[in-house]
Amino acid sequence: MSVRGGMLLHQSVHSSNLRSVGYDELGCVLEVAFHGGRLYRYDKVPAQVHAALMAAPSKGTFLAQFIKGQYPYRRV
């Protein structure tokens, strides 16, 4: 299922923490929406990192270990 995030079309994910994930391959922009309503945009995220996030058994753990603190971000 796709849902509208910030500016990107999001895909719903099975996660206790994350609600949906959107990705712009051309701009290397990753958006992450949380169940609590927060939305964050991460810049300069390579396509292979997005693919790994989507394939990870725990999306929240992957985000914490491999994305947070590694890429510039802002709350949207």
Side-chain angles (χ1 to χ4, degrees):
M1 176 183 190
S2 296
V3 294
R4 180 65 57 189
M7 292 181 11
L8 303 178
L9 194 60
H10 281 219
Q11 180 179 355
S12 296
V13 294
H14 294 299
S15 171
S16 61
N17 200 15
L18 282 61
R19 183 184 53 163
S20 64
V21 174
Y23 186 68
D24 172 18
E25 192 169 345
L26 197 59
C28 295
V29 175
L30 176 76
E31 279 187 351
V32 178
F34 291 86
H35 288 296
R38 294 168 294 146
L39 178 67
Y40 289 89
R41 184 170 300 151
Y42 295 85
D43 296 317
K44 302 179 183 178
V45 178
Q48 62 268 27
V49 174
H50 168 252
L53 168 65
M54 298 307 284
S58 172
K59 311 278 188 276
T61 298
F62 186 93
L63 181 75
Q65 289 181 345
F66 300 107
I67 297 175
K68 287 184 177 180
Q70 303 299 314
Y71 300 97
Y73 74 95
R74 64 190 175 282
R75 188 170 177 179
V76 182

